[in-house]
Amino acid sequence: MARRTARPAPDRLLYLPTLTHQCPECQQPLWAAYTNRRTVVTLEEVLGLVIQVRRCRNPGCPRRGRPMRPEAEGRIVLPDHEFGLDLIARIGALRYTQHRSIPEIHRDLSDRGVDICPRSVTNLLDRSDELLALSLTDTERLRRITAREGRVILAIDGLQPDVGHEVLWVLRDCLSGEVLLARSLLSSRRDDLARLLTEVKEALGVPITGVISDGQGPIRKAVAQALSGVPHQLCHFHYLREAAKPIFEADRHAKKELKKRVRGVRPIERKVEGRDDAEGKAIQGYCAAVRSALTDDGRPPLAAPGLKLKGRLEAVVASLDRVEEKRGSRLN
């Protein structure tokens, strides 16, 4: 059945650049061809993805004209899907771990604020089954997918919908964008992950030339054990987050100190409650602006909440100063 309501508006925009700037085949620069936009519903929010796509322009290259999409896109959502991978993992966990029915799963997601209909829950349960049914026994499929590139850059991600649930481990090829293996594990031990990596390695007909992950300890040890000598890179988002930790801690302390100086908004609001004059409305507007600034946590690591609070409070103070200057000039 066709959608009868508008798609939900994104809560925030996330820009995904293509991190590969050289053609994997001819090593010539990849040109930024165009930008796509897509909206993805996840467990936590509605994401608006701004996706940069690059292409090779070398006339003699076999990859000429073929799109190279952002490597991080496959960590968030499957190709041509509206709902995120974390949502698929949550639905699969509710169905097969807690034995919930489709209406119960839909109610659980609705209680979380996810905009989804029961029919979509059924479709995503099918996607969950298909992911878990990906089998390495079909080596022809894997060889067909990876043969054109001649190598694999392997991304490994663990999706855990809730603490205590099984983790859905997804191994995909960054070059083709295809999921090579998906499997739920009760634990995330090094030996379990190493077995998954070994299975993929043995089934492929091409070498694995690189691994991308979030850098968790068990993943690092599993890669070192199963793919010795293969470069292992932390994904750029997690790299930036780790690098920004000292700045984030300092910024959080600064925000806490700023909050101490602007306490007492509620008593001021009580004093002007019920007032309908211009001055009362102006005071209520300033109180709302301060309250909004205090509750905005920003988007670390790239949007520091402390600096954002400082900027917004300075704007409020500057506005109050202008009001005071105008009032003083009128009195004179």
Side-chain angles (χ1 to χ4, degrees):
M1 183 173 64
R3 173 187 284 274
R4 295 185 178 181
T5 58
R7 292 181 183 272
D11 298 321
R12 67 181 176 107
L13 291 178
L14 179 62
Y15 178 71
L16 296 181
T18 305
L19 303 178
T20 303
H21 288 197
Q22 288 186 328
C23 176
E25 187 71 27
C26 66
Q27 305 304 314
Q28 294 298 312
L30 289 173
W31 291 78
Y34 55 92
T35 299
N36 273 346
R37 290 176 178 264
R38 61 188 298 193
T39 301
V40 179
V41 178
T42 70
L43 276 176
E44 303 297 332
E45 60 186 339
V46 180
L47 275 178
L49 300 183
V50 182
I51 298 167
Q52 180 192 66
V53 181
R54 293 180 177 270
R55 282 178 173 170
C56 179
R57 291 187 179 181
N58 183 6
C61 179
R63 287 189 57 90
R64 182 177 185 269
R66 288 169 55 186
M68 173 69 75
R69 300 179 69 87
E71 295 82 351
E73 184 183 10
R75 188 179 190 273
I76 300 171
V77 63
L78 292 173
D80 304 318
H81 276 61
E82 178 184 356
F83 298 96
L85 272 169
D86 59 344
L87 200 55
I88 296 176
R90 173 69 180 173
I91 290 173
L94 289 175
R95 180 65 170 174
Y96 297 115
T97 303
Q98 301 185 21
H99 308 289
R100 303 276 191 94
S101 64
I102 297 298
E104 289 173 335
I105 296 174
H106 178 256
R107 187 160 51 250
D108 176 271
L109 297 177
S110 297
D111 291 343
R112 285 172 166 259
V114 178
D115 184 10
I116 190 172
C117 67
R119 179 64 178 272
S120 294
V121 173
T122 302
N123 293 337
L124 292 180
L125 182 59
D126 292 339
R127 301 294 83 75
S128 175
D129 293 339
E130 290 169 1
L131 279 174
L132 295 177
L134 287 171
S135 174
L136 291 175
T137 56
D138 186 8
T139 56
E140 290 301 321
R141 170 184 169 274
L142 296 183
R143 294 176 187 274
R144 185 172 60 253
I145 290 172
T146 58
R148 289 196 302 176
E149 305 295 343
R151 60 173 179 155
V152 166
I153 297 178
L154 192 67
I156 176 169
D157 298 304
L159 303 170
Q160 188 175 30
D162 275 319
V163 177
H165 285 266
E166 293 182 341
V167 180
L168 176 62
W169 289 97
V170 179
L171 282 73
R172 56 188 174 85
D173 175 25
C174 291
L175 295 178
S176 64
E178 293 284 344
V179 176
L180 305 178
L181 174 66
R183 186 172 298 169
S184 292
L185 297 177
L186 287 172
S187 66
S188 302
R189 297 181 303 175
R190 177 195 61 186
D191 293 340
D192 295 332
L193 298 179
R195 278 194 291 270
L196 292 183
L197 294 171
T198 302
E199 288 182 46
V200 172
K201 177 184 176 182
E202 293 176 350
L204 294 175
V206 296
I208 298 175
T209 58
V211 179
I212 300 175
S213 75
D214 60 7
Q216 295 181 30
I219 297 179
R220 292 200 301 267
K221 294 175 182 178
V223 171
Q225 177 178 324
L227 303 173
S228 179
V230 175
H232 182 191
Q233 176 178 310
L234 191 68
C235 85
H236 284 58
F237 174 79
H238 290 89
Y239 182 85
L240 288 173
R241 187 177 66 181
E242 293 297 320
K245 268 188 177 179
I247 300 175
F248 172 72
E249 293 299 330
D251 179 82
R252 184 171 63 175
H253 176 72
K255 183 178 182 181
K256 182 176 70 174
E257 295 301 317
L258 280 173
K259 282 185 173 182
K260 291 179 181 179
R261 300 185 181 185
V262 290
R263 288 175 178 169
V265 174
R266 186 56 185 157
I268 299 175
E269 290 176 324
R270 287 197 182 99
K271 289 181 180 179
V272 295
E273 279 181 356
R275 288 180 57 176
D276 199 30
D277 59 295
E279 184 180 29
K281 289 182 178 179
I283 294 173
Q284 292 172 7
Y286 279 114
C287 289
V290 172
R291 187 177 295 280
S292 174
L294 292 174
T295 56
D296 190 347
D297 291 330
R299 294 287 178 183
L302 299 182
L307 290 176
K308 191 170 185 179
L309 174 61
K310 179 176 180 293
R312 295 180 68 171
L313 291 179
E314 286 177 344
V316 172
V317 171
S319 178
L320 289 170
D321 289 342
R322 289 194 296 270
V323 171
E324 186 66 25
E325 288 177 5
K326 290 180 180 178
R327 176 179 293 181
S329 62
R330 288 176 183 174
L331 292 177
N332 294 332

